[in-house]
Amino acid sequence: MFVLIAGAAHAGNAKLAPSILTRGEIARAFAAPHRPGHTAQAIAPADTFRYWAVTRRTPGSVEVHEKWVDVIYVRGGAARLQTGTVVKGDWRTGDGEWRGGRILHPRVSELKAGDMVVVPAGLAHRFVPLGGKPLEYVTITVPAVHPAAQRSGR
C-alpha cells in the first residue's frame, strides 16, 4: 500500500487527507489494457498529484518536467535510469514538458524491483529496461514547489 501525505500541496485546505493507493488498485492498473502506443495507465483520478502505472518493454524517450517531481517505485523488472542536465535535440510537448533527444554525459543508475527514485523537476531522465522482462513502475507526479526547478534558457 502506498500512502502519500499531501499536506504541503494542500496547505490551508479543510479537506486535507492522505492519498491512499491500495495494492489492488495498483494491480488493476497494471492488468488493464494500455491505449495503443502508450506505456502508462492512470491509477487514480488526477488531483494535486497524478498517479501512473507504467510498463516499459523498450527504452523510453528522454523526458524533462519543469513543473513536476517524479516519485517512482519499481514494481518489477530492472532498468538503467539515465539522468542529466543537458539534453540535445529535445522538443517541447506542453507547458514545461520536453521529450526526445539525448542526454549528454548521462549519469547511469541500475534499478530493480523494490527500488525507489525521486527525479527532481528539471532533471532529464530515461528508462532502458534490462534482462528481457518488462519494467513495471509506479510514478507519482508531485508539483515542484521552488523556482529553481525551471530549466535555464527555455
Side-chain angles (χ1 to χ4, degrees), residues 81-98:
L81 172 63
Q82 301 172 346
T83 59
T85 57
V86 180
V87 179
K88 184 163 180 81
D90 59 340
W91 60 90
R92 187 180 182 146
T93 61
D95 184 25
E97 295 290 314
W98 300 82

Side-chain angles (χ1 to χ4, degrees), residues 30 36-37 39 41 43 52 56 61 77 79-80 83-84 87 100 130-131:
F30 278 101
T39 59
Q41 175 76 25
I43 297 175
W52 301 99
R56 286 206 181 280
S61 299
R80 282 193 187 96
T83 59
V87 179
L130 298 173

Side-chain angles (χ1 to χ4, degrees), residues 18-72:
S19 297
I20 299 174
L21 302 175
T22 67
R23 180 181 303 165
E25 290 171 308
I26 294 167
R28 282 189 294 280
F30 278 101
H34 292 353
R35 295 176 294 156
H38 291 266
T39 59
Q41 175 76 25
I43 297 175
D47 54 16
T48 302
F49 305 107
R50 295 180 292 181
Y51 312 89
W52 301 99
V54 184
T55 302
R56 286 206 181 280
R57 291 175 174 79
T58 60
S61 299
V62 173
E63 300 180 12
V64 179
H65 318 292
E66 292 179 347
K67 298 179 179 184
W68 297 94
V69 174
D70 281 350
V71 179
I72 299 163

Side-chain angles (χ1 to χ4, degrees), residues 78-147:
R80 282 193 187 96
L81 172 63
Q82 301 172 346
T83 59
T85 57
V86 180
V87 179
K88 184 163 180 81
D90 59 340
W91 60 90
R92 187 180 182 146
T93 61
D95 184 25
E97 295 290 314
W98 300 82
R99 295 286 186 281
R102 64 185 179 90
I103 302 170
L104 301 182
H105 311 291
R107 176 181 176 191
V108 178
S109 303
E110 301 275 330
L111 300 174
K112 61 185 178 314
D115 289 345
M116 188 168 192
V117 62
V118 177
V119 179
L123 183 66
H125 55 285
R126 175 179 187 245
F127 287 98
V128 178
L130 298 173
K133 290 174 48 177
L135 172 68
E136 292 185 340
Y137 57 96
V138 173
T139 298
I140 303 169
T141 57
V142 180
V145 294
H146 55 86

